[in-house]
Amino acid sequence: MNRRDVLAGAAALTATTVAARADRLPLGDLPGTRYPDPRVEALDKRFRYKVGNAAIERIATGFRWAEGPVYFRDGGYLLWSDIPNNRIMRWLENGHVSVYRANSSYSNGNTRDRQGRLITCEHDTRRVTRTEPDGKITVLIDTFDGKPLNAPNDVVVASDNAVWFTDPGYGIDGFYEGHKDKA
């Protein structure tokens, strides 16, 4: 065995190790992935994951349960909730992924209001909030008819600025999405 063989073997081992680790990175780029992602599997033949030039693309891994995506075109980023990990994530158009808000109160659904502010449903605190441009969080609602909300889940803002949200009880059934509480 000569020096060239050792270096070639070491380079191959490093490349294999890096490629194997790439899919396990909790955040960041996914080097070596193809587009469209071959790991997207259609279980129903009627589902088409590619229509024209639009396709499903995996942009990051390492989340237990991702939900509530909202795109900020003016900021060039996408936010979504990683509910069991109690955080809101941010994907920048350059591909960088980071934590937008740690300790997000087990946020679930997200949207924007007509002024471009983030509206979030929070399971743990049982409320719907608005994030102001300076980062301050304003509570929009946390009770109805004198009772606490159950676990606000999905949210949308209508053209008249009315905030509509769902409030099922399953977000407080256990500790996976916040804390266990009575509806």
Side-chain angles (χ1 to χ4, degrees):
M1 193 178 233
N2 61 33
R3 181 173 179 250
R4 187 179 305 252
D5 291 335
V6 171
L7 291 175
L13 179 60
T14 301
T16 302
T17 303
V18 169
R21 273 191 313 202
D23 285 339
R24 289 183 272 139
L25 289 174
L27 302 173
D29 295 336
L30 296 170
T33 60
R34 294 192 328 244
Y35 182 78
D37 191 329
R39 288 163 284 214
V40 174
E41 180 182 352
L43 301 177
D44 186 324
K45 292 186 187 305
R46 295 173 295 179
F47 176 74
R48 293 185 54 194
Y49 68 88
K50 185 174 182 186
V51 178
N53 67 349
I56 294 173
E57 181 181 357
R58 182 170 59 159
I59 59 172
T61 62
F63 314 104
R64 292 174 64 193
W65 177 6
E67 189 168 328
V70 58
Y71 181 60
F72 285 75
R73 183 176 189 170
D74 50 332
Y77 60 91
L78 173 76
L79 298 179
W80 71 93
S81 297
D82 182 12
I83 302 166
N85 286 321
N86 193 21
R87 60 190 182 175
I88 298 175
M89 303 302 298
R90 176 176 42 203
W91 173 84
L92 299 174
E93 289 178 348
N94 67 8
H96 179 75
V97 177
S98 62
V99 175
Y100 173 78
R101 179 178 297 149
N103 302 317
S104 67
S105 298
Y106 294 87
S107 66
N108 191 328
N110 298 289
T111 194
R112 295 179 76 179
D113 67 8
R114 306 312 264 179
Q115 291 73 42
R117 299 170 294 192
L118 176 65
I119 307 294
T120 301
C121 291
E122 300 176 0
H123 280 186
D124 198 44
T125 51
R126 302 170 76 169
R127 64 189 189 176
V128 179
T129 62
R130 178 180 64 222
T131 303
E132 306 297 340
D134 65 0
K136 180 178 177 254
I137 296 175
T138 301
V139 177
L140 299 180
I141 185 169
D142 59 2
T143 60
F144 182 75
D145 282 344
K147 297 179 184 177
L149 300 178
N150 293 313
N153 188 56
D154 289 315
V155 63
V156 65
V157 175
S159 59
D160 65 355
N161 286 318
V163 177
W164 293 85
F165 63 95
T166 59
D167 188 30
Y170 53 77
I172 55 173
D173 285 344
F175 297 100
Y176 192 66
E177 300 177 57
H179 71 277
K180 189 172 179 145
D181 209 340
K182 295 179 185 173

